[in-house]
Amino acid sequence: ANSTLIYFHKKYFEFYDIGGQKPERSKWQLVLNENEFNAVLYFVATDEFDVRDEENEFKDSKLQLSKLIFSELINDASIQSSRIPIVLMLNRCDLFRKRWEDKETLNVFKEWQPAFTGSGAEEALFFLQEQFLAEQKGTDVNVTPKQTCALETETMKAVWNAIRDSVLMKRLDELVM
């Protein structure tokens, strides 16, 4: 797993990019067990709702595979016991919205997400967010969703602030217990 150190608001943050491809996922448990984390950022490429999994590991789209992996992550015993906050990064929303400029996208989206009853990009993003958040039901995991485009610095500043707040709340909870 690659590690990167970032200085933000007079604090250093160390990030581990473990990756979601099948060979990378086997490293997750090792990294989780060998390090103490304050939060987990889980990135979802929202615009890949109809892109097939090139690893042929899963018959559905990469987005569906991502949801399955997310479920495995938040149901992991070490995540459950550590009460690490999870930030669900619904990323590439700008590309998702751009795809909705094509009128055929609604039909394509409904083919891949038959339970969707809405008609627009914002409704579809909310639907995807709720699909991921439904995976946390019955767990003690705290998941905070954020819709982002990594290239928009203002959006990312808000995300950083939310992550900082989430970590602070976890620390306060630990002090109260």
Side-chain angles (χ1 to χ4, degrees), residues 103-145:
K103 301 294 183 211
E104 186 57 28
T105 299
L106 173 61
N107 295 331
V108 173
F109 189 79
K110 284 184 174 183
E111 283 176 32
W112 288 92
Q113 302 289 333
F116 178 67
T117 58
S119 61
E122 296 310 312
E123 291 171 292
L125 283 169
F126 182 75
F127 174 83
L128 292 177
Q129 176 178 303
E130 291 304 301
Q131 292 258 304
F132 276 82
L133 292 178
E135 299 299 319
Q136 76 177 345
K137 291 197 180 10
T139 71
D140 290 332
V141 177
N142 176 22
V143 179
T144 304

Side-chain angles (χ1 to χ4, degrees), residues 33-49:
N33 290 339
E34 290 183 354
N35 299 280
E36 183 177 328
F37 291 96
N38 293 313
V40 171
L41 309 180
Y42 188 88
F43 284 85
V44 176
T46 58
D47 63 320
E48 293 186 341
F49 60 86

Side-chain angles (χ1 to χ4, degrees), residues 8-9 13 15 39-43 85-93 144-168:
F8 181 74
H9 284 290
F13 294 86
F15 290 88
V40 171
L41 309 180
Y42 188 88
F43 284 85
I86 309 286
V87 181
L88 175 65
M89 308 289 281
L90 297 162
N91 200 23
R92 298 167 53 145
C93 290
T144 304
K146 294 291 174 189
Q147 294 183 9
T148 64
C149 169
L151 300 178
E152 295 174 359
T153 53
E154 289 307 309
T155 301
M156 291 311 292
K157 283 180 187 175
V159 169
W160 280 114
N161 289 332
I163 292 167
R164 185 191 63 217
D165 294 347
S166 183
V167 169
L168 177 61

Side-chain angles (χ1 to χ4, degrees), residues 18-26 28 54-55 57 62 69:
I18 304 174
Q21 295 78 17
K22 190 174 186 175
E24 299 298 313
R25 291 195 308 264
S26 64
W28 289 11
E54 61 262 343
E55 296 173 20
E57 173 185 3
K62 289 174 83 171
I69 295 166

